[in-house]
Every structure is written in structure tokens, then in C-alpha cells.
Amino acid sequence: MTELEYFLKPAKLTELKRIFKPAKRVNNCVVALREVVLHAREIEKTGKEVLKLNIGDPNKFDFDTPPHIRKALREAVESRYNFYAPAEGLPEFKEAVARREKKVNNVEIDPEKIVATSGVSEGIIFVVSALLNPGEEILVPGPTYSPYEAFTRYMDGIPIPYSCDEENAWQPEIDDLRKKITEKTKALLIINPNNPTGALYDKKTMKKMIDIAGEYNLLVLSDEIYDLIVYEEQRTSTASLSKDVPVLGLNGFSKVYLAPGWRMAYIYLHDPPDLMGEIWEGILKVARARLSACTPLQKACVAACDGPHDFVQEMVSKLRKRRDYTTKRLNEIEGISCVEPRGAFYAFPHIHDLKGAKTDKEFVLKILKEKQVLFVHGSGFGKKYGKNHFRTVFLPPIEILEEAFNRLEEFMQSR
Ligand SMILES: Cc1ncc(COP(=O)(O)O)c(C=O)c1O
């Protein structure tokens, strides 16, 4: 008998357990990349060290927030930037973001059409909650960064994946996208460069997607959090290509500026036809309800926007070597193939031989248990389009990648 059972009658305890159930909506809020960590913790409890290639956090490896940005944060705190910021963001933050978007992405954004958020993650919640009525749909890439699906379902909306073609460097399949549009579709999500596939979309494909959005009166949601992390081709931002289709951009400081723990990001609206006033007001209402994003961090991000950007080149050249190594090693392993990523820091290899596992999740968990390497199962990024894949980051130094892929290779050869 537990201590609690000693004090409460079993019938009472059963009744209380029945009453204290979470709301059903939380069942819809599942994000694979965080869930697998729980399995890794169990392994770690047994004293074994796990090589974690599951999370897109550069600062867990040999990358750090640039000194001028860290200094700006210390100065902000010392200059009493510790008050509540306006709900939509500090004016100087919004102006700096507008300058950055002009410089980096060649888009003119009115600072009044920018909202500071605590991570793009909060931005996703704002956008989805201001946009969707129950039963309404958002087109998301298949596979996709899973919080877009999780939060859409959480808000009683329906994420509809459109196919991205692995054979064609994971470019979106325009015909499939068109077929998935219904009278309930409200928006089309583009993540470029893409997580989990590492795809970088070509200009022609981007234009076609924007045109389709225009044809069917859809709002374009454009996640550009990896905008400067590209390896070969020049990237084109969605808003810079859109003349008359409204674009809600989501971007932030977690990846390019190497400050994921700061949780700083922004939403902007690029709306030449001026159609989105009410939805923008809806986003502002949600922003006001949560008071504000962190004030000193907003102030420090002004330095990130306006300061030197040469650290980005250093980061990208380091990552390019790790990307090359990752693609080569994965393609050498029998039973696995991997499309070369062109942006971000993820590879999304295909598992052709699950080695007796029934699903990609079981495959990934077996590798974790037997070889202590943590990847994320592909179906966690979309049941259909992520199936029989896994996602790895290529953020760690080559020695760690080498050890991880050696262990993966041993696993594949051992059965
Ligand atoms: C495509 C994409 N959007 C958003 C996020 C989350 O960003 P933030 O740290 O700003 O919440 C990530 C994190 O991995 C991501 O890959």
C-alpha cells in the first residue's frame, strides 16, 4: 500500500484519478524531437553516455553566441532595460528587425508590422491561434517541423501535409500541393531552408507556391529561421518574391545568431494588397494577452541585427565540412541513403532496411538502446511523409559525428 492509499480509500483515489485528467487538447500537442529525449534520459540513468544528434541547438556543441551580442545583453540589463516592453515589442527592436530584413532578405517591412515573440515557437502559437477556426486547414510541408502540426491540432485546426519529393532534393511537389487545397484551407506554410530535410527551395518552385496561394486566396506563412545558413545556392526570401500575396514571416535569433536559449524571435507582415489588417490585429490581441517578450533580450537583439555578421560565414564554413562528412558517411552505409542538405543543419536519411524494426521509431529506439546514439524518427515529422527516415543534426565536430556514424554502421552490419 502506498502512503497515499493509506490515507485515502482506494475508491476515493480511483475517483480522484478519474477527475484529474488533462484536457483532451494536450493529447494533440506531441513533438517527437522532445519526446525521444525521455528515452535517452532512461539510458543515461544507467550511467551510459548518449551521443545526442537529436536537437538543433548549435550551442550544445562548439558554437557560441557572438561576443558583441552577449555584451549588448549585459549592457541592456545594466542600463535598466528591465521593464515590461510594449506587447508588440520595443520600438528599437522592431526598427532593427526591419533594417535586418531589408539587408538580409531584401524586403521592406513596416516596423509597425513586426511583433517580438519568445521564440518562433511562440510566434507559431500566435499565428495559428489568430488564424484558425476549428476545422480550418493549413497546408504544411510533408515532412515538416512538427510544432506546426502540433499547435494547429491544439487549436482544433487541421494540418494537411503536401508532399516534398526526396528524389528532387526534397522540393515541394506543386501538383500535390494544389490537390490538397479545399474550401477550408486558410494558409500555406513554407519552411525554407527546411527542417527536417535540409532542403533549399529553388526560385521557380517558390514562385509557383506563391502564385497558387494567390490563386486560392491563401495566406503564406514563411518560416525563415535558417535564412543565412545555406551552403551553395543563394536563397530567396518568400516576401521578396511576393508582389500581391500576403506573407506572414516567422524568424528569430536561435539559429543564425546562435542564441537559442534567449528565446527571441519575431513575426512580420508583408501585405502589399493590405488584406490582413484584421488578422494582424488578432495576432496583436494574443500578444497583448501575454504582456511582452523579454525586454533586455530585445535590446540586445538590436546589436545582433545591426552588428557584424562575419561570424555567420565562419559558422557556415564549419557546418559545410560537417554536412559533407555526414552525407558521405550516411551514403556509405548499406541500407541507408541520404540527400545532401543545402541549408540548415539537418540531414534526413532514408532507411531502406529497418533491420527487423517494425517502424522508424522502433529503429531509432533500438539504436539508442544498443549503441547510445540518439536520432529522431522520421515519422515524428509527419506520419506519411517522414516514414522510414530519421533526422540527424550535423552540428557536432567531425570526431563526434564519426563516432556516431561508426556506431550506426555497426548496428546496420550486426544483423
Ligand atoms: C523551422 C523551425 N522553426 C522554428 C523553430 C523554433 O525556433 P525558436 O527557437 O525561435 O522557438 C525551429 C527549431 O528547431 C525550427 O527548426
Side-chain angles (χ1 to χ4, degrees), residues 330 332-337 350-355 363 412:
L330 288 169
E332 281 167 1
I333 299 175
E334 222 179 297
I336 286 175
S337 68
H350 196 132
I351 318 162
H352 300 280
D353 182 351
L354 285 166
K355 296 289 173 189
F363 176 87
M412 294 300 283

Side-chain angles (χ1 to χ4, degrees), residues 85-363:
E88 59 278 14
L90 286 176
E92 57 264 59
F93 172 82
K94 296 191 296 172
E95 280 151 24
V97 164
R99 285 192 294 276
R100 179 205 186 258
E101 284 301 319
K102 176 73 191 142
K103 193 169 57 189
V104 169
N105 288 319
N106 196 27
V107 279
E108 295 281 354
I109 308 289
D110 175 357
E112 291 306 306
K113 295 288 155 59
I114 291 170
V115 173
T117 60
S118 302
V120 167
S121 307
E122 189 183 54
I124 300 172
I125 301 175
F126 285 10
V127 168
V128 170
S129 56
L131 192 62
L132 293 181
N133 288 306
E136 289 180 339
E137 298 169 0
I138 295 190
L139 290 165
V140 300
T144 186
Y145 177 59
S146 48
Y148 283 100
E149 289 198 319
F151 286 126
T152 297
R153 291 203 189 95
Y154 182 71
M155 300 294 168
D156 294 323
I158 307 172
I160 305 286
Y162 57 87
S163 161
C164 297
D165 183 7
E166 186 171 13
E167 308 283 306
N168 183 21
W170 289 112
Q171 298 292 305
E173 288 196 77
I174 301 299
D175 291 343
D176 186 66
L177 175 70
R178 190 184 281 279
K179 273 192 234 143
K180 301 275 168 73
I181 297 171
T182 72
E183 70 281 1
K184 291 193 183 145
T185 314
K186 292 289 284 280
L188 162 63
L189 170 67
I190 299 173
I191 305 176
N192 186 37
N194 187 273
N195 176 8
T197 61
L200 185 67
Y201 299 162
D202 60 55
K203 208 165 166 176
K204 227 165 82 195
T205 307
M206 292 287 290
K207 275 198 171 139
K208 282 187 193 159
M209 287 199 282
I210 294 166
D211 287 348
I212 290 185
E215 192 181 330
Y216 291 92
N217 303 322
L218 307 180
L219 167 63
V220 175
L221 307 180
S222 184
D223 182 324
E224 308 189 6
I225 195 164
Y226 300 100
D227 59 9
L228 288 175
I229 309 179
V230 292
Y231 302 107
E232 261 82 42
E233 307 93 319
Q234 202 63 34
R235 192 193 62 91
T236 323
S237 95
T238 313
S240 73
L241 287 178
S242 172
K243 288 199 188 66
D244 53 8
V245 177
V247 176
L248 267 181
L250 296 112
N251 208 333
F253 298 85
S254 294
K255 314 291 180 176
V256 170
Y257 297 94
L258 297 163
W262 286 23
R263 317 302 306 121
M264 270 316 302
Y266 52 92
I267 308 171
Y268 65 77
L269 174 64
H270 172 77
D271 182 23
D274 201 12
L275 297 170
M276 296 291 300
E278 286 189 53
I279 288 180
W280 186 248
E281 190 47 42
I283 290 173
L284 293 182
K285 275 187 188 160
V286 186
R288 287 180 201 123
R290 69 70 163 100
L291 303 193
S292 70
C294 178
T295 312
L297 292 179
Q298 290 186 54
K299 181 74 174 155
C301 285
V302 173
C305 291
D306 290 340
H309 276 62
D310 37 359
F311 67 92
V312 180
Q313 272 138 36
E314 274 170 44
M315 165 175 52
V316 169
S317 75
K318 221 152 98 171
L319 283 173
R320 186 183 290 108
K321 291 193 190 103
R322 296 172 191 190
R323 185 272 313 251
D324 292 347
Y325 180 78
T326 298
T327 319
K328 179 174 169 293
R329 281 300 307 271
L330 288 169
N331 280 317
E332 281 167 1
I333 299 175
E334 222 179 297
I336 286 175
S337 68
C338 182
V339 171
E340 180 172 78
R342 294 183 184 158
F345 32 61
Y346 310 97
F348 200 60
H350 196 132
I351 318 162
H352 300 280
D353 182 351
L354 285 166
K355 296 289 173 189
K358 284 192 208 69
T359 60
D360 50 80
K361 184 170 182 184
E362 198 179 301
F363 176 87

Side-chain angles (χ1 to χ4, degrees), residues 49-53 325 329 333 367 370-375 396-411:
E49 202 191 328
V50 174
L51 295 181
K52 295 202 189 83
L53 272 62
Y325 180 78
R329 281 300 307 271
I333 299 175
I367 293 173
E370 291 178 28
K371 297 289 174 189
Q372 293 85 52
V373 184
L374 182 62
F375 301 115
I398 303 262
E399 312 82 78
I400 297 182
L401 292 172
E402 184 179 16
E403 177 60 29
F405 298 139
N406 285 349
R407 291 190 202 175
L408 172 65
E409 194 164 40
E410 283 165 22
F411 176 88

